[in-house]
Amino acid sequence: RGKKLAKTPSKSEFGQEDMLAQYPSIPLSEYAADGDHLFINADFPGLRAVHRDPWIFLVSNLLSRDECEHLMVKARPHFQPSYDYSNSHRTSSECRIARKETQGIQARYSKLLNVPVENMEAAKVSRYRRGEFFKNHVDPLSGTDFLENRIATLFVYLNDCERGGETRFMSLPSHRLLSYEVGEKVCCLSTGRELDGEGDYPGVIKAVHADGT
């Protein structure tokens, strides 16, 4: 069943640690390699699991304040509209940072994700102004002739805002009830950027078979 993580409260009401505490931790002892999904570094300092199936983790202060400021300053003169390739699903701006300029940060990401640096995309800084959005979507693509596919997504929030700015996971299946209903909207893998945008294909369940598929 689709669901979403709770909306982030105003930062005037809660501090950062209080906001993160609203998501109960799942013991990392329950996290194990399954042979199908990327197995990240469960021993990474500060790692906390907040959802399973799929697994979602939080890490406080992955980057320092100086590192966050440095990335924002470096990206600011080079932002380009995201809608040029996302078919109006996304109205933000973005900038890729050259790998040679983020070697220390990428090395930290590599240690967290258990992925070689050379297998990672160059860091991308995205900017959302008031009213801008990225609609419900999935990150991996089924047609990957034009770029590498994605097996995990790492979000780093570079600054704070009073309200909004959160990421909502709209289609998380519950580990207690893996069932679906006809007419339920779901995200599907893109058949190609020229058709659907960046994995933004809106699917609707047409039928549910006896085995639950």
Side-chain angles (χ1 to χ4, degrees):
R1 299 277 273 168
K3 65 178 182 179
K4 60 187 178 184
L5 295 184
K7 180 175 174 61
T8 304
S10 166
K11 293 176 180 59
S12 62
E13 301 175 64
F14 298 98
Q16 181 188 52
E17 294 304 318
D18 291 322
M19 287 191 297
L20 295 179
Q22 70 180 303
Y23 306 117
S25 295
I26 298 172
L28 289 173
S29 58
E30 298 180 15
Y31 178 57
D34 61 10
D36 294 319
H37 302 90
L38 175 69
F39 184 69
I40 71 171
N41 180 8
D43 295 322
F44 192 88
L47 183 73
R48 194 159 65 86
V50 295
H51 193 277
R52 60 162 65 85
D53 192 25
W55 285 94
I56 299 176
F57 302 90
L58 297 177
V59 181
S60 298
N61 303 314
L62 179 61
L63 301 186
S64 68
R65 170 48 56 192
D66 285 345
E67 288 171 325
C68 292
E69 292 287 348
H70 184 67
L71 286 173
M72 289 188 287
V73 168
K74 184 173 290 291
R76 193 167 294 130
H78 307 290
F79 280 120
Q80 298 293 325
S82 304
Y83 59 72
D84 284 349
Y85 65 84
S86 62
N87 295 345
S88 77
H89 274 73
R90 186 175 193 171
T91 59
S92 58
S93 300
E94 61 188 58
C95 171
R96 290 282 182 180
I97 307 295
R99 294 174 185 269
K100 64 181 180 181
E101 300 184 48
T102 57
Q103 292 178 355
I105 291 174
Q106 294 280 64
R108 200 174 314 156
Y109 297 166
S110 173
K111 184 177 180 182
L112 167 62
L113 297 174
N114 275 337
V115 172
V117 171
E118 56 268 25
N119 288 10
M120 298 168 60
E121 296 182 35
K124 180 168 70 173
V125 178
S126 297
R127 180 181 65 189
Y128 292 86
R129 290 186 167 130
R130 184 184 296 274
E132 293 182 338
F133 57 83
F134 194 174
K135 291 182 179 179
N136 200 13
H137 67 283
V138 293
D139 279 355
L141 305 170
S142 58
T144 56
D145 293 339
F146 49 86
L147 82 169
E148 305 91 345
N149 211 337
R150 295 158 177 164
I151 57 174
T153 301
L154 172 63
F155 298 97
V156 180
Y157 298 90
L158 301 179
N159 64 335
D160 294 328
C161 54
E162 277 299 307
R163 291 189 180 277
E166 69 271 14
T167 300
R168 297 185 180 186
F169 296 90
M170 306 295 288
S171 303
L172 296 180
S174 167
H175 64 280
R176 293 178 297 276
L177 182 61
L178 286 173
S179 62
Y180 301 92
E181 296 179 0
V182 173
E184 182 177 356
K185 294 182 179 180
V186 293
C187 278
C188 302
L189 289 178
S190 171
T191 56
R193 179 171 293 176
E194 72 283 357
L195 296 178
D196 325 312
E198 191 180 9
D200 303 331
Y201 190 79
V204 178
I205 294 177
K206 298 296 186 181
V208 180
H209 303 291
D211 61 359
T213 60

